[in-house]
Amino acid sequence: CGCCFFHSNVWQYLPQLSLKAHATMLSSAARTTLTQTFVNPSKSILKEVSYTFPLYDGVSVVGFECRVGPRLLQSKVKTKEQANADYQEAVSSQQTAAVMDHSSSENDVFIIRLGNIPAEETITVDITFVGELKQDSQIDGIRYTLPNAIAPRYGNLFSPSGYGLPVSLQGIDVTVDVLMEKTSII
């Protein structure tokens, strides 16, 4: 999960600066908005970056917004062929662009391709997903799950070697808040 690009036959991850999750739980369903901020620490434009998000069982994406610096990338529903053609045209015109990819072999992964990410620019992704809360019979309650693949597990996954990207980060800010009914047992 995260933003990565392919360079010298190796996937390299962009550093994640912050993570905020806001979940609203009603009865046996949850709606979560996740905001992730990444940075292109390079002195160069990244021609193509992939943003991936794991979709665990029973979860549907209902909203997506992406900002590259101050620019909001807006979405429109198009045929796959038209969306790819528009994306390629924008990228070849040196514009920042995005297109959603969906592979039938990877139904459990949400993928967005971002083109022409400016040097030293931030990428902020807001993704909203809904899903049913799972019953936990051990505590006679429901269980809310936030995917653990949304934040780096150990250290920084970004490899500064091989691409000349100096990274001096002080860690990652993580904020999680939950709003739920008073009578819910979770």
Side-chain angles (χ1 to χ4, degrees):
C1 179
C3 284
C4 58
F5 64 99
F6 203 66
H7 179 71
S8 300
N9 296 325
V10 177
W11 283 105
Q12 295 193 30
Y13 286 82
L14 295 182
Q16 186 173 345
L17 302 178
S18 69
L19 167 72
K20 294 179 183 175
H22 175 75
T24 302
M25 292 174 216
L26 295 172
S27 188
S28 63
R31 178 184 181 98
T32 303
T33 298
L34 186 67
T35 302
Q36 297 171 286
T37 303
F38 305 90
V39 65
N40 171 9
S42 167
K43 303 280 186 213
S44 308
I45 291 175
L46 294 177
K47 293 294 182 190
E48 187 162 281
V49 172
S50 289
Y51 170 78
T52 59
F53 181 79
L55 296 174
Y56 51 95
D57 188 35
V59 171
S60 297
V61 174
V62 296
F64 181 81
E65 184 176 287
C66 182
R67 286 190 183 279
V68 177
R71 184 167 182 218
L72 174 63
L73 301 178
Q74 306 244 347
S75 63
K76 293 181 183 173
V77 177
K78 299 180 180 181
T79 65
K80 186 173 189 171
E81 294 77 19
Q82 185 63 52
N84 279 321
D86 290 351
Y87 172 80
Q88 292 301 330
E89 181 180 327
V91 168
S92 65
S93 300
Q94 307 304 312
Q95 296 176 23
T96 302
V99 67
M100 182 180 135
D101 283 337
H102 180 28
S103 167
S104 58
S105 64
E106 295 179 4
N107 285 334
D108 59 346
V109 180
F110 179 82
I111 302 170
I112 299 287
R113 282 186 294 147
L114 304 167
N116 291 327
I117 304 302
E120 301 177 339
E121 194 63 84
T122 59
I123 301 165
T124 303
V125 173
D126 289 309
I127 187 167
T128 302
F129 53 95
V130 295
E132 284 191 51
L133 297 169
K134 305 296 183 202
Q135 182 68 31
D136 188 332
S137 59
Q138 293 179 357
I139 60 166
D140 192 29
I142 53 176
R143 181 177 304 271
Y144 172 71
T145 303
L146 189 62
N148 66 357
I150 59 175
R153 185 168 179 185
Y154 299 109
N156 190 353
L157 294 176
F158 188 81
S159 171
S161 63
Y163 203 66
L165 303 176
V167 177
S168 60
L169 299 175
Q170 300 300 315
I172 182 173
D173 289 331
V174 177
T175 303
V176 178
D177 68 277
V178 175
L179 177 64
M180 57 190 260
E181 297 171 334
K182 288 182 182 181
T183 59
S184 296
I185 298 172
I186 192 166

